[in-house]
Each structure stands twice: as structure tokens, then as C-alpha cells.
Amino acid sequence: MSEALFAIFMVSCSHMLGVCRETTEPVELFESHQACQEQLYRSLDQTSARYEDSFPVAIGKCIELAPQMAVAEPDFKWFFKRDGGLVVEAVQPTEVQNAASDIQLALSSEDG
């Protein structure tokens, strides 16, 4: 079994992709890219139907996550390339980053 995990990232967009926003569904984790892809297609259909009146175009991608990112729901940095491709990067949530920094500062001050 691979140590990597995978998560679905989705945005909902207006018809002409002029306005897009992240969906609010909780991040679901998968142990394989294949399992993630299989659920992705179902999730895209459900999201398109859910936001049909305002953001009917759902776009998504399976993103590889480091195992430590499974502890807290990750944040995502995303954008569309000029060719329309979705680029997504999973990052540690801000509060997790801040907590790690606070711990490191406390440890550093104890050494000195």
C-alpha cells in the first residue's frame, strides 16, 4: 500500500467559467488514485445538480496528499491555466501551520 492519500478537490463555476468557487463538501480521503477517480465522476454530477441554478459547471481533480495532511482537513491553492487546466496544491491549514510555528518558537526559546 502506498503512503500517499488522495482527495477530491472541486469548484463550481458559472456557465462561462467567469466565476468559480470551491465547493463546501468535506474532504473525502482515498487510498488509491483509482478509487478517487471513480468517486470524482459521481461527485461532479452531484455537484452540478446541486448548484444548477447558480454554478452549474463542476470541475474537479484528485489531489495527492501527504499522510500527515489527513489529520486536519487541508486547504487548497488553485487556479486555472490559460488552456483551462485546473492546477491545485494541497497545503496545511493555516491554524495547523501557526500551531507548528508556535511550538517551534517555544522550543527555540527554551534552548537559549
Side-chain angles (χ1 to χ4, degrees):
M1 181 175 92
S2 169
E3 288 191 25
L5 296 172
F6 297 87
I8 294 174
F9 174 81
M10 284 193 303
V11 294
S12 295
C13 301
S14 60
H15 284 288
M16 299 301 290
L17 305 182
V19 178
C20 296
R21 63 180 184 168
E22 289 183 39
T23 58
T24 57
E25 286 77 28
V27 174
E28 187 176 351
L29 299 176
F30 302 89
E31 291 187 4
S32 72
H33 190 263
Q34 180 179 350
C36 184
Q37 286 292 120
E38 289 171 3
Q39 181 59 41
L40 173 62
Y41 296 115
R42 288 189 289 274
S43 296
L44 289 171
D45 289 341
Q46 292 167 354
T47 300
S48 291
R50 183 177 300 126
Y51 300 109
E52 184 175 10
D53 293 334
S54 55
F55 295 94
V57 179
I59 301 168
K61 190 172 192 175
C62 287
I63 305 302
E64 186 173 340
L65 301 176
Q68 64 269 24
M69 294 185 90
V71 175
E73 193 165 305
D75 288 334
F76 296 95
K77 292 181 181 180
W78 62 277
F79 66 92
F80 288 107
K81 297 188 295 186
R82 288 183 191 254
D83 67 3
L86 176 61
V87 176
V88 183
E89 176 186 2
V91 294
Q92 288 285 350
T94 305
E95 58 273 4
V96 172
Q97 291 175 4
N98 290 342
S101 296
D102 291 344
I103 291 168
Q104 186 61 38
L105 285 174
L107 292 174
S108 296
S109 64
E110 289 177 6
D111 292 339

